[in-house]
Amino acid sequence: MDKKYILYKLANKYNLPIQKIEHIVDYQFKYVADIMKKGEFEAVRLPYFGKFSVKKGRVAFINKLKNNGDTK
């Protein structure tokens, strides 16, 4: 199934505009992206979907790059 079909089905089921349904569906991913953009690397849990986090070794590597200014 493609996204437009799912949005259409949800809009009909809940009697809401497709734009409202699309905003609701996309909000959780926007939230995760906003948390990741902060650069604090905190874990984010989306109920019934999963937990998104950065490995500790990756955080240390990225922090080392930030502090040393290395681009390798």
Side-chain angles (χ1 to χ4, degrees):
M1 287 188 205
D2 70 332
K3 183 178 177 180
K4 289 183 181 186
Y5 177 75
I6 294 170
L7 293 175
Y8 176 76
K9 294 291 274 186
L10 289 171
N12 284 335
K13 181 177 180 177
Y14 294 106
N15 197 25
L16 291 170
I18 290 178
Q19 294 82 9
K20 184 73 168 174
I21 297 293
E22 186 172 25
H23 176 74
I24 292 167
V25 170
D26 289 341
Y27 183 81
Q28 61 188 345
F29 302 107
K30 182 181 179 296
Y31 173 74
V32 172
D34 289 344
I35 295 295
M36 293 171 83
K37 285 178 187 175
K38 285 183 185 178
E40 296 172 5
F41 305 108
E42 60 185 271
V44 179
R45 180 178 295 280
L46 297 177
Y48 305 103
F49 195 65
K51 182 177 178 182
F52 300 86
S53 61
V54 178
K55 293 180 182 178
K56 292 181 182 182
R58 176 66 68 175
V59 173
F61 177 74
I62 291 172
N63 287 333
K64 182 179 175 184
L65 287 178
K66 283 182 182 179
N67 292 336
N68 293 338
D70 295 335
T71 57
K72 293 181 183 179

